Amino acid sequence: QASRLVELPYSSFGDDEDDDTAEQDPGVWHPDPPKLSPFSHCVRYLAFLWNLLFLLLGLLSLAVGVWGLLAKSPLPGGVPLSSDPMLLFVLAGLGASAVSLAGCLGAFRASPCLLRFFLGAVLAFGGLEVLGGLLLLLARRRLRDALRDLLLLCLLRYQDDPDLQFLVDEVQRSLQCCGLESYRDWESNPYFNCSAPGVQVCGVPASCCQDPLENGSVPNIQCGFGVLGLGAAAAGAVVHTGGCGAALGAWLRGQAGAIAAGATTVLLLEAVGALMALRVLRDI
């Protein structure tokens, strides 16, 4: 009897009773997850489409960067890859694609791991953007000096990098300026100074000319040849003599509102994506 009393809690009769109870009411042991509301389903689909859009934009930026690098391969003048402007498109495309892909798969597969990675990446990018904006506001003088150094570097490497050449031409043509301080700054370029052996000796790029088309339909790339050998009055009749440093600074001050609005829009887009990911993660 003592042995039976000890064995009763472990007898097969008790196991059979438990099995019968589990078969009769399986919800006690394996409860069904709560059904998602229509709003939760809508947020989940919207989060997937939201991240899919940014995934496509990231892939487009990556494709543009890779195309730019391959189009110049091998890089002219021995330009190192780390200083190539197209590398920014590649890095931005890779970052945006990776984060957006995590958000897409996290919303589609209801994966908490991917959604947490997406949230962490968005918060990190947002924090870096806010920190960068504050540093720009606090170091405006150094920013102006950095822009001047960048423009000077572009002048020196004008013929060595097609991207820098395009950038300089667009700035000079749009702002109607020439050089950094004045058109005389092109004397520091080895292809345009008056001791250069090429055909561009004592000249400036055609983007400095006041009328590069010369009342025609085809740009005259030789309109700036020999300008550095002219006097200030004669040169002013052919090219824009003012420098791009002051003009670019004035343009940036005029576009401060648009730049701030663009940065705020980017932060709001990131915040909306993070809130949708948080909602999906809470439903999971």
Side-chain angles (χ1 to χ4, degrees):
Q1 291 179 354
S3 175
R4 180 177 178 80
L5 289 176
V6 173
E7 293 176 358
L8 274 177
Y10 307 96
S11 63
S12 61
F13 174 75
D15 295 340
D16 295 339
E17 184 178 0
D18 293 342
D19 294 338
D20 294 340
T21 304
E23 292 177 359
Q24 293 174 0
D25 192 6
V28 175
W29 306 105
H30 303 285
D32 294 331
K35 294 183 178 180
L36 297 178
S37 64
F39 178 74
S40 297
H41 281 291
C42 180
V43 171
R44 184 174 176 180
Y45 296 145
L46 186 59
F48 172 78
L49 295 176
W50 187 272
N51 287 283
L52 180 61
L53 173 62
F54 284 96
L55 174 61
L56 296 178
L57 292 177
L59 292 176
L60 178 61
S61 175
L62 178 61
V64 170
V66 172
W67 171 80
L69 291 177
L70 294 179
K72 297 185 299 181
S73 180
L75 295 177
V79 178
L81 180 63
S82 59
S83 63
D84 194 283
M86 301 305 294
L87 188 61
L88 295 177
F89 287 90
V90 175
L91 295 179
L94 283 175
S97 300
V99 175
S100 300
L101 181 61
C104 278
L105 294 179
F108 181 74
R109 302 283 297 179
S111 172
C113 181
L114 290 176
L115 288 174
R116 291 191 182 99
F117 170 78
F118 172 77
L119 284 172
V122 170
L123 292 177
F125 287 153
L128 291 176
E129 291 166 4
V130 173
L131 180 61
L134 293 176
L135 291 177
L136 290 179
L137 291 177
L138 296 176
R140 286 176 292 183
R141 185 182 300 274
R142 293 185 178 181
L143 176 62
R144 288 195 297 266
D145 295 339
L147 286 177
R148 291 171 59 87
D149 295 340
L150 178 60
L151 285 176
L152 182 59
L153 178 63
C154 292
L155 295 182
L156 294 176
R157 291 177 47 190
Y158 177 80
Q159 300 284 19
D160 298 330
D161 195 322
D163 295 323
L164 294 181
Q165 183 175 349
F166 172 79
L167 178 62
V168 171
D169 287 338
E170 286 299 315
V171 170
Q172 293 188 146
R173 190 178 297 112
S174 301
L175 300 180
Q176 296 183 352
C177 57
C178 186
L180 181 59
E181 299 293 340
S182 70
Y183 73 103
R184 290 287 179 184
D185 292 331
W186 283 103
E187 294 179 353
S188 60
N189 187 283
Y191 295 94
F192 290 103
N193 61 44
C194 293
S195 60
V199 296
Q200 297 173 326
V201 56
C202 268
V204 295
S207 56
C208 290
C209 297
Q210 296 186 8
D211 187 12
L213 297 180
E214 293 186 355
N215 299 323
S217 59
V218 179
N220 180 13
I221 61 174
Q222 299 180 358
C223 61
F225 284 11
V227 170
L228 295 178
L230 302 176
V238 179
V239 299
H240 301 288
T241 57
C244 295
L248 184 59
W251 181 83
L252 289 176
R253 287 191 295 270
Q255 299 296 322
I259 295 174
T264 304
T265 302
V266 172
L267 289 176
L268 288 177
L269 292 176
E270 293 176 350
V272 170
L275 289 176
M276 289 191 295
L278 280 174
R279 175 69 190 210
V280 176
L281 189 60
R282 192 189 73 172
D283 293 337
I284 294 175

